[in-house]
Amino acid sequence: MSVRYRVTAAPQASGYSEAGASYKRRALRAFFPNSSSPSSDIHDNADILRQRSRMLYMSAPVATSAINTNRTKIVGTGLTLKATVDRNVLGLSPEKAKEWQSKTEAEFRLWAENRRSCDAMGLNDFYGLQQLALKSWLMSGDVFAVVKIRDPDKLHPYGLRLHLVEADRVSTPDKLGGMLDGLGYTEGTNPNTGNKIYDGVEVDSSGMIVAYHVRNTYPHEWRNDITKWQRVEAVGATTGLPQILHIMESERPDQYRGVPLIAPIIEPLLQLRRYTESELLAALVQSFFTAWIVTDTPKNAIPFDETGSGDLGGVPVDNPKADNASHSPNEYEMGPGTVAHLGKGEDIKFGNPNIPTAGFDTFVKTLCKLMGGAIEMPYELLLKEFNASYSASRASLLEAWEGIKMRRAWLVGSFCQPVYEIWLSEAVARGRVIAPGFFDDPLVRAAWCGARWIGPVQGTLDPKISIHALREEGDPRILPRSQTVKYFYPRPPRGGRRDHPQLSPYHQKISIHALREEGDKENPELCRQLEQFLSTPSARRATEVPVASGCGSRFLSTPSARRATR
């Protein structure tokens, strides 16, 4: 009796094994990436990334533009404090809250606008420290601000000082396992606590950052000073306030150090720099008017000498005092209106290189588009070129503004707001700012610490079009800074005009064109101000409309405005 065995088919690959995870497809056969932990992928490579990023910033115009444009748009002249306490939690009236906020902002300016009051080195005021911190963050991947306390004096009533520390100076001590200067090791262990140290950042068993290790020298620096590390606890044991601030952008969980902004595009930036330098050199060579003398002179004869015997194009030679004039009949010179008679059997040939290439501009722009997409900055901003249509250029600005707002929020959350809370704690403790319950209840403390940070606004390509759009649709950005008002319609919407409170002088200036057209029957103060902004005499004669008593006359410019406001 024979036994039959059933042969089953081999299992077929499915899912990503036939796509991105395939080992059989020709394009993927040699593609074997080896991604490891953030410590191996990021921390061990952070040092070389920082060096290359700084070099490109100093030598590649596109890299310089990427970092400086972010600096200008995110910080500009500085992010200014606008205190916004929570009146509901504190039980304050609007008048009392406004009075406290104005007093606190004045005290903060006393500290922030004096470079010797806020900077431990005495070089920058607080707004200068903002742009320096942002620039160092983008260029090096992260930056640290060490909180120091000095003795106050009559001119400097606050002891808070900030000392910015560059990313290189935070590293794992050699005696704890780090060998950044030699072998590039960045991971170590603190024998006293058993905590792991990742590139200078000490974390406990749960992954919480507990301290930073700051060295007094830079890696790869040839100095006689002995390198020493200082352990700085992240939070003070007594006050609970930060003792060091860490500004960075995280890419992966369990990541404790940042990477430079241009890290993903270092290679194309370097190649673009080499390409532009080659084209520049080729164009420089082409600018030289070169000629060759073709002669029948025997090869063993004495060749033509250089013209003259002095320096050549500014390069000194053996006899720099001699002139470059030729005194030999065997030497030829070029000059304006020069006529030279060639000898028998001689001819002249001129060089005509076809440099630079015709596609240089297109190629550079294409590369900038690819690199700009990687760092969330359209190439129009990288190259400061807005030659496309209005819609395309505005779309580029809007897209760039999303990334700018995001990085500004990160800077505020990791630097500006913590500094303000540390300063306010000292101001309350010294009695210069009165905040009842500040040290008693965390909720009350958070209510007193409320703040907004005002920076550069989004630019416009055509203010007339932008104002017209805001006037037609309404925009919360032109409202008074109040949570009770959600919409403002300079032009009445369909269905009638919505009630709104009086605009602040700042917002009256923003919508002055719309107010001039529309006026406001409900607000006599605005009506009196509108008399200063009249249109042409013919428009005034044709469109004079009576308004509420006490407002005088108002002059509207367009028929639609007149019909809408009668």
Side-chain angles (χ1 to χ4, degrees):
M1 178 178 174
S2 61
V3 179
R4 296 183 178 181
Y5 294 94
R6 188 173 183 180
V7 179
T8 57
Q12 298 296 319
S14 62
Y16 281 106
S17 59
E18 287 298 321
S22 174
Y23 289 97
K24 299 182 297 182
R25 292 184 176 275
R26 184 181 300 274
L28 302 175
R29 287 179 182 175
F31 187 35
F32 296 105
N34 184 22
S35 180
S36 185
S37 66
S39 179
S40 299
D41 290 350
I42 296 176
H43 304 157
D44 292 346
N45 298 310
D47 181 60
I48 187 63
L49 288 176
R50 285 193 292 265
Q51 311 308 320
R52 291 176 175 176
S53 174
R54 290 173 190 157
M55 186 61 197
L56 288 173
Y57 171 80
M58 292 183 283
S59 60
V62 176
T64 309
S65 174
I67 294 176
N68 285 344
T69 301
N70 270 285
R71 184 273 317 270
T72 303
K73 298 295 184 182
I74 295 174
V75 174
T77 57
L79 303 178
T80 57
L81 170 70
K82 176 63 178 177
T84 54
V85 299
D86 192 333
R87 295 190 294 106
N88 296 329
V89 173
L90 301 175
L92 298 178
S93 64
E95 293 76 15
K96 289 292 185 181
K98 184 177 181 181
E99 180 183 356
W100 187 91
Q101 290 169 175
S102 299
K103 173 68 166 53
T104 303
E105 291 169 6
E107 285 286 333
F108 185 77
R109 288 195 298 270
L110 176 64
W111 174 81
E113 294 180 357
N114 190 324
R115 65 182 61 185
R116 302 191 67 85
S117 293
C118 60
D119 188 1
M121 300 181 66
L123 295 176
N124 298 282
D125 58 14
F126 183 58
Y127 310 109
L129 290 176
Q130 291 175 7
Q131 67 89 17
L132 182 59
L134 176 68
K135 198 168 184 178
S136 183
W137 161 30
L138 299 178
M139 192 185 308
S140 303
D142 50 12
V143 66
F144 302 83
V146 178
V147 178
K148 298 182 177 180
I149 302 297
R150 304 280 176 82
D151 294 331
D153 53 46
K154 293 183 178 180
L155 297 179
H156 310 94
Y158 296 101
L160 174 63
R161 301 292 188 273
L162 300 175
H163 187 182
L164 291 184
V165 175
E166 209 163 20
D168 309 65
R169 291 182 55 193
V170 175
S171 63
T172 303
D174 292 345
K175 63 181 180 180
L176 301 183
M179 290 291 291
L180 180 62
D181 292 335
L183 303 177
Y185 296 155
T186 61
E187 189 173 333
T189 304
N190 188 340
N192 299 325
T193 60
N195 295 331
K196 284 284 188 180
I197 304 177
Y198 298 100
D199 200 9
V201 182
E202 182 177 336
V203 301
D204 60 16
S205 57
S206 65
M208 174 67 71
I209 298 176
V210 296
Y212 294 86
H213 294 262
V214 183
R215 56 189 292 165
N216 64 331
T217 61
Y218 278 82
H220 322 299
E221 184 180 28
W222 294 97
R223 294 182 59 179
N224 294 328
D225 298 344
I226 299 176
T227 300
K228 299 179 181 179
W229 278 264
Q230 177 69 39
R231 184 177 183 270
V232 182
E233 294 186 355
V235 179
T238 303
T239 63
L241 295 174
Q243 296 191 124
I244 184 172
L245 304 176
H246 187 186
I247 302 99
M248 61 166 281
E249 175 185 350
S250 298
E251 292 183 355
R252 298 172 59 181
D254 298 326
Q255 175 186 347
Y256 296 104
R257 297 300 301 269
V259 296
L261 173 69
I262 62 174
I265 57 174
I266 284 179
E267 183 178 359
L269 275 174
L270 180 61
Q271 299 290 23
L272 179 61
R273 174 198 168 198
R274 292 170 175 170
Y275 175 60
T276 52
E277 287 179 348
S278 299
E279 289 289 341
L280 179 61
L281 182 59
L284 182 63
V285 171
Q286 183 183 8
S287 66
F288 298 149
F289 195 73
T290 307
W292 291 266
I293 302 297
V294 181
T295 179
D296 293 336
T297 305
K299 295 182 180 181
N300 56 358
I302 299 176
F304 292 118
D305 199 358
E306 297 287 349
T307 301
S309 57
D311 62 323
L312 302 176
V315 180
V317 292
D318 295 337
N319 188 17
K321 294 184 179 181
D323 59 13
N324 280 325
S326 173
H327 303 286
S328 170
N330 293 330
E331 295 179 352
Y332 298 92
E333 291 181 340
M334 292 184 179
T338 300
V339 178
H341 298 277
L342 299 178
K344 182 179 179 181
E346 294 180 349
D347 191 10
I348 187 168
K349 302 290 184 181
F350 293 98
N352 186 25
N354 189 19
I355 297 294
T357 57
F360 173 78
D361 184 68
T362 303
F363 179 74
V364 170
K365 287 184 178 179
T366 301
L367 273 182
C368 290
K369 291 177 182 178
L370 296 176
M371 293 185 292
I375 60 175
E376 297 183 289
M377 180 172 292
Y379 88 98
E380 289 91 345
L381 263 70
L382 279 177
L383 302 180
K384 301 299 184 294
E385 178 182 291
F386 298 93
N387 294 334
S389 63
Y390 172 83
S391 300
S393 298
R394 188 170 187 274
S396 298
L397 290 176
L398 292 175
E399 187 66 25
W401 192 250
E402 297 301 320
I404 290 170
K405 290 190 298 183
M406 178 180 63
R407 292 191 176 97
R408 179 183 294 178
W410 291 342
L411 179 67
V412 167
S414 58
F415 183 67
C416 298
Q417 185 64 24
V419 168
Y420 171 63
E421 294 178 5
I422 297 172
W423 170 88
L424 186 58
S425 299
E426 181 184 357
V428 174
R430 295 187 183 277
R432 296 189 64 88
V433 174
I434 306 302
F438 186 89
F439 296 107
D440 301 331
D441 189 346
L443 180 61
V444 175
R445 180 193 185 99
W448 287 116
C449 291
R452 288 198 304 267
W453 296 88
I454 312 302
V457 299
Q458 179 182 354
T460 59
L461 296 178
D462 191 333
K464 181 178 179 181
I465 296 179
S466 301
I467 291 296
H468 178 74
L470 295 177
R471 200 169 65 235
E472 291 292 336
E473 301 298 334
D475 193 314
R477 289 176 295 178
I478 65 172
L479 289 173
R481 303 192 182 282
S482 171
Q483 300 299 325
T484 60
V485 181
K486 295 183 179 180
Y487 299 99
F488 167 62
Y489 285 88
R491 188 182 298 277
R494 296 178 181 177
R497 178 186 292 275
R498 300 191 181 188
D499 295 332
H500 57 82
Q502 180 179 352
L503 296 176
S504 65
Y506 172 76
H507 297 93
Q508 290 173 16
K509 294 179 181 179
I510 291 180
S511 53
I512 197 63
H513 179 70
L515 293 176
R516 185 184 64 194
E517 289 189 352
E518 306 303 336
D520 194 324
K521 296 181 181 180
E522 310 298 335
N523 197 326
E525 177 62 25
L526 287 181
C527 294
R528 286 194 295 271
Q529 296 182 7
L530 290 175
E531 294 177 355
Q532 306 175 28
F533 306 100
L534 307 180
S535 56
T536 61
S538 59
R540 292 197 295 271
R541 289 194 300 269
T543 61
E544 185 172 355
V545 180
V547 295
S549 59
C551 291
S553 298
R554 130 177 92 97
F555 305 96
L556 308 180
S557 57
T558 63
S560 59
R562 295 196 297 273
R563 288 194 299 270
T565 56
R566 282 178 177 172

